[in-house]
């Protein structure tokens, strides 16, 4: 009788290595949809700035505070939320965070003035701070190892789609359909309600991390301040700085360097973004089939470095430039999923929330650091420094990844820990 009960329980919730394909993709779909909304909401305010400026009579600098506060609060709270996720489980935080994030956007439709919108932007950032630590904790605990790379890839891919969709959807609703910004935000915010309902209805397939045994693994700040995690944080930070430098300044740099026509430079940036987004899926496929993740990341990042240097040092033909940018973006995008898997392997048991919360906070921090120094290069007449600086940041990120690699391999059980010195 006891054996029968064990078999029944195992059939209902099979081990991850025997988890059915359809269950894994249901989990990926649920988490990916929430991640799409997270990125969508982060970028849905900026397209409304002209309308808000006219209605509320505030400057663009003040309008920019809404996006800055939402992003800043998200980055600041990710690590503390990661501790809570590891302690109490990811599912309630995912549900609550998604609901807060969505309803805050909807509530902006009722705002009597812009200062209320700023307060709601902060509240939405609080909800958004839950997404990365909760998502990665659930994916790492719920998805079979054979599909972990594709799960992480789809997570990144859906977030990128959210960024891409926000300006388009806002433009269609406010300009194409003639809706005011208030009905638009109300409708878009309420999209989060059915997503939360779906997560609740399917919550039984979302597994939380196993709790680590006391005294068996490092905990708390000891984990995050380890050399491995600090190097992974620096890896994410430097990669983000390089990516933001390309996305924000490629068009201006090409104009200053070679007098590239705006249409061609814009097409080159579009090629880079398309390559980075689609390359993520290739990286997920590779991560599930091969174990040499660091070699893959090194090779592709090196290819990107060479291509960015070529764009910055050689006047490429207009017909070739978008293709080169697409390949450079694709190489960087494909390197992201193996990078995430390396971090997952390095995270001690039961501590994926705090690890990903801390390390992924390097992404928005990189976005905050980059614009001013790159803008100064253009303002001071040295545009030739922009793309070599991007290349240098990518090379430095590889150094950080290599330093962290030993810890990732030890966490995955492929390298024995270094022996303690004899006393």
């Amino acid at each position: 009788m006891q054996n029968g009960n064990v078999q029944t329980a195992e059939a209902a919730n099979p081990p991850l290595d025997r988890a059915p394909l359809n269950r894994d993709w249901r989990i990926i779909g649920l988490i990916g949809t929430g991640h799409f909304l997270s990125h969508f909401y982060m970028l849905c305010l900026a397209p409304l700035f002209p309308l808000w400026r006219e209605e509320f009579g505030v400057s663009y600098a003040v309008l920019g505070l809404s996006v800055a506060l939402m992003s800043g609060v998200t980055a600041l709270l990710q690590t503390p939320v990661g501790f809570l996720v590891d302690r109490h489980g990811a599912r309630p935080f995912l549900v609550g965070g998604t609901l807060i994030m969505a309803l805050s956007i909807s509530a902006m439709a009722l705002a009597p003035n812009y200062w209320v919108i700023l307060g709601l932007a902060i509240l939405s950032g609080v909800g958004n701070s839950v997404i990365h630590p909760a998502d990665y904790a659930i994916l790492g605990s719920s998805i079979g190892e054979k599909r972990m790379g594709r799960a992480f890839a789809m997570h990144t891919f859906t977030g990128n789609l959210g960024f891409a969709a926000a300006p388009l959807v806002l433009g269609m609703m406010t300009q194409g359909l003639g809706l005011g910004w208030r009905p638009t935000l109300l409708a878009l915010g309420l999209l989060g309600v059915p997503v939360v309902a779906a997560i609740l209805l399917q919550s039984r397939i979302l597994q939380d991390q196993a709790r680590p045994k006391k005294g068996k693994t490092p905990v708390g700040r000891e984990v995050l301040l380890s050399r491995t995690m600090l190097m992974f944080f620096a890896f994410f930070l430097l990669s983000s700085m390089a990516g933001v430098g390309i996305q924000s300044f490629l068009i201006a740099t090409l104009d200053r360097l070679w007098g590239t026509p705006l249409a061609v430079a814009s097409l080159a940036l579009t090629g880079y973004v398309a390559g980075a987004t689609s390359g993520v899926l290739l990286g997920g496929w590779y991560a599930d089939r091969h174990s040499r993740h660091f070699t893959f990341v090194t090779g592709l990042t090196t290819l990107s470095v060479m291509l960015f240097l070529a764009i910055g040092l050689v006047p490429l033909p207009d017909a070739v430039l978008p293709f080169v940018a697409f390949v450079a973006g694709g190489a960087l995008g494909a390197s992201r999923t193996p990078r995430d898997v390396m971090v997952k392997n390095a995270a001690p048991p039961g501590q994926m929330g705090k690890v990903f919360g801390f390390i992924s906070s390097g992404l928005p921090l990189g976005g905050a650091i980059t614009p001013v120094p790159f803008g100064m290069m253009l303002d001071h007449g040295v545009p030739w420094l922009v793309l070599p600086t991007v290349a240098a940041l990518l090379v430095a990120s590889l150094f950080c990844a290599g330093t962290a690699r030993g810890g990732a391999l030890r966490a995955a059980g492929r390298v024995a820990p270094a022996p303690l010195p004899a006393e």
Side-chain angles (χ1 to χ4, degrees):
M1 184 67 179
Q2 186 176 2
N3 290 337
N5 290 336
V6 171
Q7 291 173 0
T8 301
E10 191 169 295
N13 196 13
L16 293 184
D17 59 349
R18 301 207 306 272
L21 177 63
N22 63 341
R23 194 206 71 167
D24 275 5
W25 284 109
R26 282 162 59 199
I27 295 169
I28 293 169
L30 285 172
I31 300 301
T33 302
H35 195 222
F36 172 91
L37 284 180
S38 166
H39 283 233
F40 184 92
Y41 290 148
M42 291 286 285
L43 211 58
C44 76
L45 302 186
L48 299 176
F49 284 177
L51 301 176
W52 284 350
R53 186 171 185 270
E54 182 177 347
E55 180 164 341
F56 297 121
V58 294
S59 68
Y60 280 114
V62 175
L63 289 168
L65 274 177
S66 60
V67 176
L69 287 173
M70 187 186 295
S71 300
V73 169
T74 297
L76 185 65
L77 293 183
Q78 277 189 169
T79 302
V81 169
F83 277 84
L84 295 174
V85 163
D86 291 341
R87 183 176 302 170
H88 303 291
R91 285 175 291 185
F93 287 94
L94 180 62
V95 169
T98 304
L99 193 60
I100 291 172
M101 176 177 65
L103 294 182
S104 299
I105 297 296
S106 278
M108 291 180 186
L110 307 176
N113 55 61
Y114 181 68
W115 309 110
V116 173
I117 288 177
L118 283 183
L120 291 169
I122 293 173
L123 188 59
S124 187
V126 172
N128 212 335
S129 69
V130 170
I131 299 300
H132 277 157
D135 281 2
Y136 280 110
I138 289 173
L139 290 175
S141 306
S142 304
I143 301 296
E145 287 294 333
K146 293 181 179 180
R147 288 182 283 274
M148 190 66 69
R150 281 167 287 179
F152 282 0
M154 286 301 299
H155 185 259
T156 302
F157 182 75
T158 53
N160 290 342
L161 286 184
F163 275 150
L168 178 63
V169 172
L170 266 292
M172 288 177 58
M173 294 182 71
T174 57
Q175 304 299 320
L177 299 179
L179 296 176
W181 66 267
R182 293 182 185 273
T184 296
L185 284 185
L186 180 65
L188 293 178
L190 290 177
L191 285 176
V193 176
V195 173
V196 169
I199 293 172
L200 284 171
L201 289 173
Q202 298 290 316
S203 62
R204 62 184 178 83
I205 66 173
L206 304 179
Q207 296 184 28
D208 276 319
Q209 306 170 88
R211 298 291 179 85
K213 295 181 180 179
K214 292 184 177 181
K216 296 293 184 181
T217 59
V219 295
R221 288 183 298 176
E222 184 182 353
V223 174
L224 302 186
L225 296 181
S226 68
R227 187 179 185 187
T228 296
M229 295 306 163
L230 290 175
M231 287 296 102
F232 272 128
F233 174 84
F235 182 24
F236 275 54
L237 173 67
L238 294 169
S239 299
S240 173
M241 292 175 67
V244 170
I246 290 293
Q247 292 181 52
S248 301
F249 294 100
L250 179 62
I251 293 176
T253 298
L254 291 174
D255 172 59
R256 294 289 186 89
L257 279 176
W258 317 119
T260 305
L262 179 61
V264 176
S266 298
L267 190 58
L269 179 58
T270 300
Y272 167 80
V273 174
T277 301
S278 57
V280 166
L281 301 179
L282 173 63
W285 175 87
Y286 177 89
D288 282 339
R289 285 163 174 77
H290 304 279
S291 59
R292 301 181 67 180
H293 297 152
F294 179 68
T295 301
F296 186 72
V297 170
T298 300
L300 290 181
T301 305
T302 301
L303 173 61
S304 293
V305 166
M306 295 171 62
L307 293 177
F308 286 133
L309 287 175
I311 292 172
L313 300 177
V314 181
L316 299 175
D318 290 351
V320 174
L321 182 59
F323 174 76
V324 174
F326 174 83
V327 175
L332 274 187
S335 72
R336 290 176 181 173
T337 303
R339 174 195 69 181
D340 292 345
V341 174
M342 288 167 60
V343 174
K344 184 257 180 186
N345 291 338
Q351 301 187 59
M352 209 174 303
K354 64 173 67 70
V355 165
F356 272 101
F358 171 65
I359 289 174
S360 63
S361 66
L363 300 178
L365 181 59
I369 292 173
T370 302
V372 172
F374 276 85
M376 290 176 65
M377 293 178 194
L378 295 175
D379 289 339
H380 287 80
V382 287
W384 54 269
L385 269 179
V386 172
L387 292 175
T389 301
V390 166
L393 289 169
L394 291 174
V395 171
S397 76
L398 280 182
F399 171 79
C400 295
T403 304
R405 178 172 174 260
L409 292 175
R410 285 194 294 273
R414 290 191 291 270
V415 175
L420 296 173
E423 294 184 2

